[in-house]
Amino acid sequence: MNALSVLLARGRWKWFPVPLGSSLFQALHNSCCRKKSTTPKKTLPNVAFCDESTKESGNAVDKLFSSEQQASILHVLNTASNKELEAFKLLRGRKSINIVEHREKFGPFQNLESLMNVPLFQYKTTIQVCNSILCPETGGKKRKSQENRLLKKLIKPEVRRERLKGVNSILSIVFGTRRIAWAHLDRKLAVLDWQQNECCQLMKGTYLSSVYLEEISSVISKMPKADFYILEKTGLSIQNSSLFPILLHLHIMEAMLYALLNKTFAQDGQHQVLSMNRNAVGKHFELMVGDSRTSGKELVKQFLSESVPKEEPRVFFPSDKIGHYRQMFAATEKHRIEELYDSLLQAIAFYELAVFDTEP
């Protein structure tokens, strides 16, 4: 006696006879007509359903580490407090809490594979965590990585820390629409040169490259040599169309200074000209009000007044030049020559943020 059975073949359902006593009929009958078991289900604590690939991944975790390494990792996982676990970068936040809760509920971890039973721990995460426990980031490494991130935000292009540590003098340059100013400081924060030059012809006419070359070359001829030339990088938005003429002027100035001051770049590939974030300098001196930077005039005036009476002033003006610098500053008070003030503040901030902060 036959029974009609239906199977899907090549996208179409087909009927075919199956003998009642055949093994295929019994298999179909068992899979379709199986009675629900009345035996209560056994519940295992925190054992998630895993397919074969997951089991293989779990077993593979232990195989990646030697027995000594496994013992070290398990010791940390089974004994460290929540705060101690958070010392590892990958275990901050909810992960460390989950480990402690799992440990308190189900007992110590018996192997590395069992860490995958903890919420938020997949195969890849488990391996990364185990590696971070074996090779934790030391305090020195953390400090260096933090400094590198700060330097990337502060200075462009990137420059090696060794070069910054070896700086003997820098020339800080700030330019606007009418003038260019510079401050030459050594690593003792002594002001070796500080002045400004009018450049009133640059934004008149059609931005002729030849005019820019002549004007900027003339200004550079008056500048002293230094290990680094630090240019101010403004944060003007390019989306504001009314500022386009000013942005164009500033970009041309910046490009000219990069080209004319990086004299040895073609030979050694080392940048001598760097751009420094204007707002970072403002934050360093607490001159920011929201997203806007206020004048540094009063701060510079304070530095000038404190240079002589203080034994260790923040910035040192040589005795043979302090009189000249004070007269120059007094002559600019009515007109607020911001480029002059900003060039000095930028030089101080460069040393304090990029040079001194990177020294051990």
Side-chain angles (χ1 to χ4, degrees), residues 133-256:
I133 291 173
L134 289 174
C135 303
E137 204 174 36
T138 62
K141 286 183 179 179
K142 285 183 181 178
R143 184 173 179 271
K144 284 184 179 180
S145 64
Q146 289 172 353
E147 288 171 354
N148 288 335
R149 285 195 295 270
L150 288 173
L151 284 176
K152 287 179 181 179
K153 293 180 180 179
L154 184 69
I155 297 169
K156 299 289 183 182
E158 293 180 32
V159 62
R160 294 199 313 272
R161 291 160 56 89
E162 292 76 14
R163 291 188 65 202
L164 293 175
K165 289 180 183 180
V167 167
N168 291 314
S169 74
I170 64 164
L171 191 70
S172 170
I173 302 171
V174 176
F175 47 87
T177 56
R178 298 181 56 190
R179 64 185 62 86
I180 181 170
W182 63 88
H184 186 209
L185 274 68
D186 64 15
R187 69 180 301 114
K188 294 180 180 179
L189 294 185
V191 182
L192 308 177
D193 186 38
W194 185 33
Q195 57 180 297
Q196 57 97 16
N197 196 96
E198 297 290 330
C199 300
C200 300
Q201 302 299 319
L202 292 179
M203 288 194 68
K204 293 181 179 179
T206 56
Y207 301 91
L208 291 174
S209 300
S210 57
V211 175
Y212 274 89
L213 178 61
E214 292 166 8
E215 286 275 358
I216 297 175
S217 296
S218 175
V219 173
I220 287 177
S221 67
K222 304 173 187 177
M223 292 179 175
K225 292 183 179 180
D227 296 323
F228 283 109
Y229 301 90
I230 314 301
L231 310 185
E232 182 185 69
K233 189 70 174 178
T234 61
L236 293 177
S237 174
I238 198 170
Q239 296 178 350
N240 191 337
S241 58
S242 63
L243 295 176
F244 181 76
I246 296 174
L247 283 168
L248 177 61
H249 164 75
L250 296 178
H251 280 298
I252 294 174
M253 290 283 288
E254 184 181 41
M256 284 282 184

Side-chain angles (χ1 to χ4, degrees), residues 328-351:
M328 178 182 67
F329 179 84
T332 65
E333 280 198 277
K334 291 183 180 179
H335 306 289
R336 295 172 65 92
I337 310 300
E338 296 294 338
E339 293 87 352
L340 190 67
Y341 315 143
D342 291 349
S343 64
L344 181 64
L345 295 178
Q346 180 174 259
I348 299 169
F350 180 83
Y351 274 113

Side-chain angles (χ1 to χ4, degrees), residues 296-348:
K297 173 186 169 184
E298 293 303 318
L299 188 57
V300 171
K301 187 176 182 179
Q302 179 184 333
F303 290 153
L304 281 166
S305 63
E306 293 176 349
S307 179
V308 176
K310 278 193 174 183
E311 292 184 4
E312 294 184 5
R314 189 168 180 178
V315 58
F316 175 70
F317 297 89
S319 57
D320 60 332
K321 295 182 179 181
I322 184 67
H324 168 69
Y325 290 147
R326 284 176 175 171
Q327 289 178 0
M328 178 182 67
F329 179 84
T332 65
E333 280 198 277
K334 291 183 180 179
H335 306 289
R336 295 172 65 92
I337 310 300
E338 296 294 338
E339 293 87 352
L340 190 67
Y341 315 143
D342 291 349
S343 64
L344 181 64
L345 295 178
Q346 180 174 259
I348 299 169

Side-chain angles (χ1 to χ4, degrees), residues 54-159:
T54 307
K55 290 180 181 178
E56 290 175 4
S57 299
N59 293 331
V61 175
D62 293 272
K63 294 178 181 178
L64 291 173
F65 303 94
S66 66
S67 56
E68 291 82 4
Q69 290 174 329
Q70 291 180 41
S72 299
I73 297 168
L74 289 172
H75 176 74
V76 172
L77 293 175
N78 290 326
T79 61
S81 65
N82 183 32
K83 286 186 178 180
E84 289 171 335
L85 288 171
E86 283 190 337
F88 300 96
K89 185 177 179 180
L90 294 177
L91 291 178
R92 292 173 188 166
R94 190 65 208 175
K95 286 190 178 72
S96 61
I97 298 172
N98 289 348
I99 288 176
V100 174
E101 289 179 350
H102 185 278
R103 196 172 65 200
E104 291 174 349
K105 191 173 183 179
F106 303 113
F109 295 95
Q110 299 301 319
N111 49 46
L112 302 185
E113 176 188 353
S114 59
L115 185 58
M116 293 175 62
N117 294 326
V118 179
L120 302 181
F121 284 85
Q122 302 298 326
Y123 175 66
K124 185 177 179 181
T125 307
T126 301
I127 294 174
Q128 291 173 339
V129 166
C130 292
N131 283 324
S132 70
I133 291 173
L134 289 174
C135 303
E137 204 174 36
T138 62
K141 286 183 179 179
K142 285 183 181 178
R143 184 173 179 271
K144 284 184 179 180
S145 64
Q146 289 172 353
E147 288 171 354
N148 288 335
R149 285 195 295 270
L150 288 173
L151 284 176
K152 287 179 181 179
K153 293 180 180 179
L154 184 69
I155 297 169
K156 299 289 183 182
E158 293 180 32
V159 62

